[in-house]
Amino acid sequence: MQMKVFEPLQIKTMKIPNRLGLSSLLNNPVGEDGGPDATTIEWFEARARGGVGLVLCGAVQPIAPPPGMTMWRRISLALYDDQYIPGFQKIADAVHKHGSVFGVQIAGGGPMTGSGPSLPPYPDQLHATMTVTDALGAPSFPIREYSVADIEFSENAFAATALRAKKAGADCVEIHCTHGGASFLCSFLSPYYNKRTDKYGGSWENRLRASVETIAKVRQAVGKDFPVLIRFCGDQLIGEKGITVADTMKYIVPAFDEAGVDAFDVSQGDNIRSVEGISIPMYIPRGAFIYVAEAAKKVTKKPVFGVGRIVEIEMAERFLQEGKADLIFMSRQFTSDPETFKKFLAGKNDEIRKCVGCLMGCGRPCPLNYDIQDAPVKMTPAKKSKKVLVVGGGVGGMEAARIATLRGHKVSLWEKEPELGGMVSALAKTKLTSEFQNFLDYLGIQMRKLKVDVRVCKEATIPEVEVLKPDVIINATGSSMVIPEIAKGVPGVMDHIEACKNQRAIGQRVVIWGLVAAELAISLAEAGKDVIMIGRGGEETLARDYPGSRRWYVLRKLLDINTVRELTPQKKVSNPQVRFFTDVESITPGVLHLVDGQGAKSDVPFDTFIISRERACNNGVYEMLKGKAPEVFNIGDSNKVGDIKEAVWAANEVARKI
Ligand SMILES: Cc1cc2nc3c(=O)[nH]c(=O)nc-3n(C[C@H](O)[C@H](O)[C@H](O)COP(=O)(O)O)c2cc1C
């Protein structure tokens, strides 16, 4: 049977060559003048080259940002003036070269950027009970209420921008009416933000008015045959206070259908209140949000697009076959591997580098994809094939081995443990972060397919290295957790990595020292252990370096902060328990003697005491091997303790130059 993903989709004048799309992602490069530059064009061309049918650009600005809003200048392309048309024309040409179609999403306004349909406080007293969440993106500036003149001005700006997109050769435009407080139109739609009493507030008809008027004006600007799409919020993920799936079916889709849109791109979430529907963390099952597209499909005959952590073409195909959507966006997936579709077509499914949903950049600093950034070191065949020894088989070491082999070097990789993966394999064994296994699978398969000479349980010693006589040594021996003096040799003490790798040895009563280990703590609690986290810092240090919505999820679970939505059970849990400003005074067998910031002491019995604090570079091997080959490099954690991205990128920077 012919797969559905291969079928073209005709929407008025636009023929999408297949059923896969790149939805708008505000991660495309922006030129100095706010419009596209050569890097932007190459960025979009790379997506089209990979075979995705519909390429949408990140939300463009229809209105010049007010002075001071420099953030938008950096991440959102400007199309509020005709001067930007030639740049967009170049993107359209570049995308068309590969047979894909190009669309421009138009967005603007909303409480997140300082203007809303009505003023806070919103139903759950947005700021009243918040503490750390303010740091997570809630608007901190006064919100201005749209006047009727402002509404008209915005609607006209959408229409003028749509016409510019059409003139630039775009195949469609998409009106952004989603993500709650992130959007002018969605915030008008949402009963959560819209408390107006004029013709733009109150009833559904009134709240829909700004969107319906915008659709009409855009239609008038671009003509009847030009495809006009709308991305709307099918579920604001804040329960009855916001837009619900029932509203989608009863009010939103019928109104937009009648207003004359040509296709529905259904997403979910609210950038201020439920960001996990937009920047979807790895904790949320793949494809979990397809229900919103499915709901829309029940009430319209027009094409419906589905989105949300879909990383496998097989899943896209299944949703298409089941009639849940007519096109599937796999957006971050085309960031972590722009060649996804091509590899699938070539029967190289196992070589696809699947997005892990880590949110550690989502775009140009994608930790898995070094090439996504603006100025990567180019991949060129090596001038001379060298004998390369990579010491350490974590992700940095494997990536270095992969790149060096692809360039024509002869690579051996030695790992002292029985398995590859290093610290990332520990993360992959933690329930909440198990998606990291995707990356390990990818690199492991690459090692096999590229025939890298991989040796596990093999330590690098000087005699062995002297026998091999490498021209280049790349040391990637990672880092180790530092065990504080007070815990050294104590029965039941494990470091974080050891604990992940040897979970069967973890007892029932677990204390974790270090507030960064929130994902491990939650995973162990969900596995039935009684977990207490302790740390010397306050709330701001809990999961401190976690990216965006991963932190949001964890904080909501562990702290008593104001929240309105239970997507997965996210009411504060009592297990794990978190104790701030807490230090270990002494340890006796099976008991921790703790002291808090006020000097209050407590004894906490434990079976397992997990240490997750500082890490130290394992640079001993590098020091030993320095001078043992003409070129010796030290990359990743063994050079400087950092994150996955730093290890993978350092591997590329070295392996592309040797
Ligand atoms: C960094 C980032 C930027 C985004 N920018 C936009 C945007 O400009 N407009 C929009 O409608 N959605 C935006 N989204 C949402 C994505 O289009 C998409 O719905 C989301 O990433 C989920 O799909 P995925 O799991 O396939 O990536 C953004 C998401 C991320 C992570």
Side-chain angles (χ1 to χ4, degrees):
M1 184 177 64
Q2 160 87 340
M3 285 180 74
K4 255 207 144 7
V5 277
F6 299 129
E7 285 176 15
L9 178 63
Q10 187 81 42
I11 303 177
K12 289 198 170 152
T13 49
M14 169 171 71
K15 185 172 182 183
I16 307 173
N18 56 53
R19 301 298 180 107
L20 294 177
L22 172 81
S23 64
S24 287
L25 283 170
L26 275 181
N27 63 3
N28 43 235
V30 176
E32 278 294 304
D33 68 349
D37 66 5
T39 324
T40 324
I41 295 155
E42 166 50 30
W43 198 91
F44 284 109
E45 182 164 1
R47 301 299 165 290
R49 204 182 288 129
V52 56
L54 170 62
V55 177
L56 289 182
C57 70
V60 304
Q61 303 165 45
I63 299 171
M69 286 290 262
T70 45
M71 180 184 97
W72 294 114
R73 267 204 160 278
R74 284 200 311 273
I75 62 172
S76 167
L77 288 164
L79 191 52
Y80 49 76
D81 191 283
D82 286 356
Q83 75 173 93
Y84 298 111
I85 293 177
F88 277 83
Q89 176 101 52
K90 287 186 188 141
I91 303 179
D93 291 347
V95 170
H96 290 157
K97 240 196 280 172
H98 302 278
S100 305
V101 294
F102 174 61
V104 172
Q105 185 189 67
I106 308 165
M112 199 178 90
T113 52
S115 46
S118 41
L119 303 180
Y122 300 125
D124 54 347
Q125 297 284 316
L126 187 59
H127 294 287
T129 57
M130 280 203 177
T131 53
V132 272
T133 41
D134 282 322
L136 290 173
S140 54
F141 35 79
I143 297 206
R144 202 174 56 87
E145 187 168 291
Y146 275 89
S147 66
V148 171
D150 292 332
I151 297 170
E152 276 170 21
F153 181 75
S154 289
E155 291 173 358
N156 293 338
F158 268 65
T161 304
L163 181 58
R164 280 182 210 112
K166 184 181 177 190
K167 283 184 183 163
D171 302 279
C172 66
V173 290
E174 181 172 89
I175 297 170
H176 184 282
C177 176
T178 190
H179 304 157
S183 147
F184 153 52
L185 294 174
C186 190
S187 59
F188 270 77
L189 227 59
S190 166
Y192 182 83
Y193 293 107
N194 189 344
K195 301 289 163 211
R196 295 173 78 100
T197 50
D198 65 359
K199 66 175 180 169
Y200 292 101
S203 65
W204 264 101
E205 190 188 355
N206 284 355
R207 278 186 280 119
L208 279 156
R209 192 178 308 281
S211 299
V212 168
E213 287 176 356
T214 303
I215 295 166
K217 288 183 181 175
V218 166
R219 171 63 68 211
Q220 204 181 4
V222 297
K224 70 176 179 9
D225 294 328
F226 191 74
V228 176
L229 283 38
I230 193 156
R231 176 168 250 205
F232 75 96
C233 183
D235 185 348
Q236 205 177 332
L237 304 178
I238 58 172
E240 295 294 317
K241 289 176 189 137
I243 298 163
T244 64
V245 179
D247 298 331
T248 285
M249 296 175 74
K250 189 163 176 197
Y251 303 108
I252 303 176
V253 175
F256 291 166
D257 219 335
E258 198 186 319
V261 298
D262 300 306
F264 296 91
D265 168 2
V266 200
S267 74
Q268 59 286 316
D270 180 323
N271 249 335
I272 300 174
R273 306 302 295 127
S274 51
V275 69
E276 70 275 20
I278 306 157
S279 301
I280 311 169
M282 49 175 57
Y283 320 135
I284 294 190
R286 296 181 192 169
F289 293 111
I290 198 68
Y291 69 91
V292 282
E294 191 182 4
K297 259 202 79 72
K298 291 197 173 117
V299 289
T300 181
K301 293 198 164 38
K302 290 178 180 160
V304 173
F305 306 165
V307 70
R309 237 173 80 62
I310 300 167
V311 299
E312 288 166 311
I313 293 191
E314 291 85 343
M315 181 181 272
E317 173 67 15
R318 179 158 58 79
F319 289 154
L320 294 168
Q321 292 283 357
E322 290 169 353
K324 291 181 172 160
D326 301 290
L327 179 141
I328 298 289
F329 286 120
M330 295 173 53
S331 303
R332 286 171 298 166
Q333 177 55 37
F334 291 119
T335 302
S336 68
D337 193 343
E339 301 284 305
T340 297
F341 195 41
K342 267 202 176 154
K343 288 180 182 172
F344 180 81
L345 288 173
K348 295 182 179 169
N349 221 8
D350 60 348
E351 292 193 33
I352 294 172
R353 190 170 42 209
K354 280 188 209 144
C355 170
V356 295
C358 67
L359 296 167
M360 293 165 69
C362 268
R364 280 171 287 150
C366 173
L368 277 47
N369 183 2
Y370 169 82
D371 282 300
I372 202 84
Q373 58 177 312
D374 291 355
V377 178
K378 290 237 158 17
M379 272 288 268
T380 49
K383 288 201 181 92
K384 175 175 169 250
S385 175
K386 295 179 183 170
K387 200 189 274 184
V388 178
L389 169 63
V390 178
V391 184
V395 293
M398 284 195 276
E399 178 74 352
R402 181 179 82 84
I403 299 292
T405 309
L406 284 172
R407 293 188 57 226
H409 295 302
K410 189 166 169 7
V411 182
S412 304
L413 186 152
W414 295 355
E415 165 57 51
K416 79 172 166 45
E417 297 292 329
E419 68 166 353
L420 298 175
M423 198 164 291
V424 176
S425 78
L427 290 176
K429 290 183 172 73
T430 306
K431 185 176 159 237
L432 243 55
T433 47
S434 57
E435 283 286 273
F436 277 113
Q437 188 61 41
N438 298 349
F439 193 36
L440 297 179
D441 290 345
Y442 164 78
L443 288 171
I445 286 166
Q446 291 297 303
M447 295 301 98
R448 278 204 298 284
K449 289 206 167 174
L450 295 171
K451 299 195 169 55
V452 175
D453 179 19
V454 175
R455 306 290 166 98
V456 290
C457 301
K458 186 162 175 81
E459 283 207 45
T461 60
I462 291 177
E464 300 235 37
V465 171
E466 280 171 352
V467 171
L468 186 75
K469 281 199 184 56
D471 302 306
V472 182
I473 298 174
I474 301 176
N475 185 72
T477 42
S479 60
S480 302
M481 288 278 165
V482 179
I483 304 287
E485 280 305 319
I486 198 168
K488 274 191 185 148
V490 172
V493 168
M494 292 171 117
D495 73 41
H496 185 142
I497 306 305
E498 208 185 329
C500 294
K501 291 192 170 171
N502 193 9
Q503 291 185 25
R504 274 205 231 138
I506 299 177
Q508 179 59 29
R509 294 169 304 174
V510 182
V511 180
I512 301 179
W513 194 2
L515 298 175
V516 288
E519 286 164 337
L520 173 65
I522 294 170
S523 300
L524 291 176
E526 287 180 352
K529 309 282 181 192
D530 302 313
V531 185
I532 300 174
M533 290 180 81
I534 61 169
R536 289 179 182 155
E539 284 185 352
E540 72 291 348
T541 61
L542 181 60
R544 182 169 41 203
D545 298 326
Y546 285 29
S549 67
R550 270 168 74 188
R551 184 155 194 245
W552 168 251
Y553 174 98
V554 163
L555 294 186
R556 283 202 287 173
K557 199 139 192 154
L558 299 179
L559 300 182
D560 206 6
I561 58 173
N562 185 24
T563 169
V564 286
R565 159 75 188 178
E566 314 312 325
L567 178 65
T568 49
Q570 285 186 5
K571 280 223 165 69
K572 186 191 170 205
V573 290
S574 53
N575 179 25
Q577 185 195 112
V578 191
R579 296 200 190 176
F580 298 104
F581 304 113
T582 297
D583 211 346
V584 180
E585 240 186 11
S586 61
I587 310 176
T588 50
V591 183
L592 291 166
H593 305 285
L594 305 178
V595 58
D596 73 11
Q598 266 80 50
K601 299 189 180 205
S602 58
D603 294 340
V604 175
F606 69 92
D607 301 311
T608 304
F609 183 35
I610 300 173
I611 312 289
S612 184
R613 300 174 76 220
E614 300 111 84
R615 286 184 281 147
C617 304
N618 295 333
N619 53 7
V621 178
Y622 170 69
E623 293 300 330
M624 178 182 84
L625 296 179
K626 255 197 302 193
K628 301 291 173 215
E631 295 173 82
V632 183
F633 300 93
N634 192 16
I635 63 163
D637 269 13
S638 50
N639 180 36
K640 183 169 175 282
V641 172
D643 61 21
I644 297 175
K645 186 206 109 185
E646 279 148 350
V648 170
W649 286 30
N652 277 276
E653 310 255 299
V654 166
R656 287 173 189 231
K657 286 181 187 157
I658 54 177

